[in-house]
Amino acid sequence: MSQVHFVGAGPGAADLITLRGKALLEKADVIIYAGSLLNPQLLDYAKSDCEIYNSATMTLDEVISVMETAIAKNKDVVRLHTGDQSLYGAVREQMDLLDEKGISYDSCPGVSAAFGAAASLNLEYTLPGISQSLIITRMEGKTKVPETETIQSFAAHHTTMAIYLSTGMLEELTRRLIAGGYEEDTPAAIFYKATWPEEASYFCQVKDLANVAQAHGITKTALILVGDVLAQQCYEKSRLYAPDFSTEFRKAKTDEEIN
């Protein structure tokens, strides 16, 4: 039975899509992909007779119409989203319309840009003694943000933040980060097109985010990282591997055994 598959394409590099996602692309009869936000090399996985649509030029109703027509012809559809579609993918509204039409669908997860960036930087977001949480958020733009989820309120936690869809508002982002509680010299980074061939990362301090972006001509397709973990210094070692720490698989060593 044909159905619609929502597939996360990963952060950029064509080989960072999941094995399941690649298999779905290879057998799809129709692919609707998220335009220039996706690495075009991903479309090389499609079979030669696959119908391919760029959703950047389409409305929601047009996307659903293509899906509905394909399913009526017993064709499999892949709706290819950037990163992981559960983050800022606008998939729920598509799924609701498919529900109304009785069209079956499923989801295949992808690697989000925050984790692609961490891999490229060999970065750990949760260093003991510094941060044990990662806040994924965005600035308010055309899509509103609930009043309880402002940048300022999240900044008050002084934890690690990965901020999406905000590169064009860096002066305001900086103001809100500092107003919320981050120090001006808190480590920050601008990561442009994580894992793409042209990826670029720029480390700076919170107060310099807008200037650094302007200096390098970055206006979109970048992730903003904020937090002391970026320095990767002065953290505590994990207790997991400490010799005096017991786990389900290892007994703690005595003082005599350690010494």
Side-chain angles (χ1 to χ4, degrees):
M1 180 180 176
S2 62
Q3 66 179 150
V4 175
H5 306 281
F6 290 90
V7 176
D15 60 350
L16 283 179
I17 191 170
T18 64
L19 290 174
R20 181 182 297 179
K22 179 175 178 286
L24 289 169
L25 282 178
E26 290 171 337
K27 75 171 188 176
D29 301 302
V30 175
I31 295 173
I32 307 171
Y33 74 101
S36 62
L37 297 175
L38 284 171
N39 187 336
Q41 291 181 359
L42 287 160
L43 299 177
D44 292 343
Y45 295 133
K47 56 189 181 182
S48 59
D49 60 346
C50 180
E51 299 173 35
I52 298 177
Y53 297 84
N54 179 354
S55 66
T57 65
M58 303 166 71
T59 65
L60 174 60
D61 288 340
E62 288 170 340
V63 168
I64 298 301
S65 178
V66 169
M67 293 177 177
E68 188 175 20
T69 299
I71 295 300
K73 296 178 180 179
N74 200 34
K75 294 182 177 182
D76 269 326
V77 180
V78 164
R79 178 64 168 110
L80 191 61
H81 283 269
T82 56
D84 182 280
Q85 67 274 19
S86 68
L87 286 174
Y88 311 116
V91 293
R92 185 68 260 165
E93 59 198 51
Q94 297 173 67
M95 293 174 178
D96 285 344
L97 289 174
L98 293 178
D99 285 337
E100 291 177 10
K101 296 176 181 297
I103 295 174
S104 177
Y105 57 86
D106 60 17
S107 293
C108 174
V111 178
S112 187
F115 305 109
S120 290
L121 296 172
N122 293 317
L123 179 67
E124 181 176 350
Y125 286 130
T126 52
L127 290 176
I130 296 180
S131 174
Q132 287 293 285
S133 302
L134 170 64
I135 293 174
I136 294 176
T137 190
R138 58 180 289 276
M139 282 278 287
E140 181 172 288
K142 291 181 180 179
T143 301
K144 299 297 182 182
V145 171
E147 292 182 3
T148 55
E149 297 180 22
T150 64
I151 294 292
Q152 299 96 303
S153 65
F154 286 146
H157 295 286
H158 288 248
T159 191
T160 313
M161 292 179 68
I163 306 167
Y164 286 65
L165 305 171
S166 304
T167 315
M169 301 176 279
L170 289 181
E171 289 187 0
E172 180 62 17
L173 174 63
T174 296
R175 187 191 70 77
R176 295 187 185 191
L177 288 169
I178 294 172
Y182 281 115
E183 299 295 332
E184 290 187 352
D185 60 356
T186 299
I190 301 172
F191 208 115
Y192 175 75
K193 285 197 168 184
T195 80
W196 289 60
E198 62 268 39
E199 75 170 15
S201 58
Y202 304 97
F203 285 87
C204 60
Q205 297 176 341
V206 165
K207 63 182 174 64
D208 298 319
L209 280 168
N211 290 335
V212 170
Q214 183 178 19
H216 295 282
I218 298 174
T219 59
K220 59 182 179 179
T221 326
L223 178 75
I224 309 302
L225 303 176
V226 178
D228 290 328
V229 295
L230 293 172
Q232 303 194 72
Q233 298 174 348
C234 304
Y235 61 90
E236 301 169 6
K237 289 185 178 179
S238 168
R239 292 290 298 152
L240 180 59
Y241 302 108
D244 60 343
F245 185 75
S246 293
T247 72
E248 180 183 355
F249 306 101
R250 188 187 74 243
K251 290 184 178 181
K253 295 182 182 296
T254 65
D255 290 340
E256 291 77 9
E257 289 174 318
I258 295 173
N259 297 324

